[in-house]
Amino acid sequence: MDMKWMEDFLCLADTRSFSRSASARHASQPAFSRRIQSLEHWLGAQLVDRSSTPLSLTTAGHVFRGHAIGIVQQVHRARHVLRHAPEVPAGAT
């Protein structure tokens, strides 16, 4: 599982377009599409209904979107805390 996959998915959920999302994420459309497919495979659920234009999220996609937002926010908060935390000397814990 790659954090980039979740960020890609959230971008796709917002734009509802593979081409706009790929551009926003600085990826080719085929590479971006493969990353979304990899996330779906890893989760074991189809997240995107590709049969409609603009595309829409499946029920699983809507459920996962809420989780993905929370996970991405937590990871970014943790990185911020760790980057700004004072150094703890080795053996002090």
Side-chain angles (χ1 to χ4, degrees):
M1 169 51 161
D2 189 330
M3 183 75 165
K4 184 186 311 186
W5 295 352
M6 280 193 281
E7 292 169 338
D8 288 346
F9 170 72
L10 291 174
C11 184
L12 182 60
D14 289 342
T15 67
R16 296 172 39 167
S17 164
F18 276 94
S19 59
R20 285 192 310 244
S21 293
S23 178
R25 298 287 294 154
H26 308 287
S28 68
Q29 186 173 346
F32 182 85
S33 182
R34 282 191 301 273
R35 293 196 311 235
I36 297 298
Q37 289 174 337
S38 294
L39 176 62
E40 290 175 319
H41 179 73
W42 188 83
L43 289 169
Q46 184 177 349
L47 302 174
V48 180
D49 178 359
R50 293 164 175 82
S51 66
S52 64
T53 304
L55 64 82
S56 61
L57 299 181
T58 62
T59 301
H62 284 287
V63 170
F64 182 68
R65 184 176 185 271
H67 290 285
I69 290 169
I71 292 166
V72 169
Q73 288 174 343
Q74 286 180 332
V75 169
H76 286 291
R77 272 195 304 269
R79 183 178 71 179
H80 177 79
V81 166
L82 293 173
R83 284 185 173 180
H84 295 91
E87 283 280 328
V88 176
T93 56

